[in-house]
Amino acid sequence: MAEITDPPPQVVLDDLSALSTVLAQIPPKTDGDNLLIGTWNIRAFGNLTKTWASQPGDSPRRDFHACVLIAEVLSRFDIVAIQEVKANLRALRHTLKRMGPDYGFVMTDVTYGQPGNGERLAYIFDTRRVKLSGLACELVVPEDIDTPFSSPANAFQRQFVRTPYAVGFQAGDQTLVLVTLHIIYGAASQDRIAELTGIAKWLRQWAEQEDDYGHNLIAMGDFNIDRHGDPLWQAFTSTGLTPAPGLLKVPRTLSSSLDAPDLKSFFDQIAWFETVKGKPYLSLKYRQAGGVNFQGVVLKDLNRTELSWRISDHYPLWVEFGL
């Protein structure tokens, strides 16, 4: 039986070399100088076929080849939030094994129920560069916050479909609280507005509280926003959440295209509040942001759907901060 720690076949090495040209756009990790934060919705990141090349009829089609490429991307970040981690952790375990002992992870339990899609939220982080500060929690909405979820009647049923996950980290003398989430998709885009409004209001109140402690609060994940400026975008930004400026024209999914007059999706975001209580909020210094477009670079013999099940239907996004 093949193991992820075995020397990769030449075809995998060739793809790693090709991927390195795309990853070269991400700044290198520099101790004491910068912090690299990423987010990635990895499609159905659960089971794995334990071979270097899965065959027709294998289920799932994700294999060690894909796992090595995923690990190579994740290892470029100090902290990366991952959405769509499933109950089965085989792919995650082998990815971490490939990344090596310097990487840790934290995650939620499985979200049960049909809308939750059996998903977890997770963070992978480079223990040489950051450490956990102690905070880890899932966000629920109390009844006295004015959100679409705040009615005392049936309050339990009105929580988020997949509870946002907040974890605190420390990098040098800087502390930050990351909140990752995967907003409900629903039968229509209107079904997402309540959750987006709820999280925007919740985060604003929490940012005002965390400002007293000098923490940096950053939201990231799959917000399922269709278009820049649409009602979902307006709900997301309604309390002052500001997406990283460098991500405005970065494609989010395999079907996105910069050649079109408008991106086909604006799903994934990394965002924070520019000001809280009348003064700049982040003590981290924003430098630049981008994405990792791997389509047409690796696994080039696969069509778009096949590539989405091996790697993902979403691209990773990243932001560099100065410490």
Side-chain angles (χ1 to χ4, degrees), residues 165-241:
Y165 187 37
V167 174
F169 295 91
Q170 184 170 351
D173 60 357
Q174 298 274 9
T175 58
L176 58 154
V177 177
L178 302 183
V179 181
T180 187
L181 52 107
H182 189 183
I183 292 293
I184 185 174
Y185 191 78
S189 61
Q190 298 93 314
D191 297 340
R192 307 169 214 162
I193 292 178
E195 282 204 353
L196 282 165
T197 304
I199 192 63
K201 290 186 175 182
W202 207 110
L203 289 173
R204 182 70 195 192
Q205 185 178 77
W206 204 18
E208 293 177 355
Q209 171 188 313
E210 293 301 306
D211 181 68
D212 297 335
Y213 301 96
H215 294 167
N216 297 277
L217 180 65
I218 300 171
M220 56 212 302
D222 184 352
F223 292 80
N224 276 320
I225 297 170
D226 287 331
R227 296 285 188 279
H228 181 275
D230 72 3
L232 301 176
W233 171 266
Q234 293 169 17
F236 167 62
T237 58
S238 60
T239 63
L241 270 175

Side-chain angles (χ1 to χ4, degrees), residues 251-287:
R252 268 54 170 184
T253 65
L254 300 190
S255 59
S256 299
S257 172
L258 289 177
D259 297 328
D262 188 18
L263 295 175
K264 293 183 178 179
S265 71
F266 224 55
F267 292 167
D268 306 280
Q269 298 289 343
I270 302 175
W272 53 86
F273 296 99
E274 291 285 355
T275 58
V276 170
K277 298 181 179 178
K279 61 182 187 295
Y281 181 61
L282 289 188
S283 57
L284 295 168
K285 297 177 176 62
Y286 169 76
R287 288 183 177 173

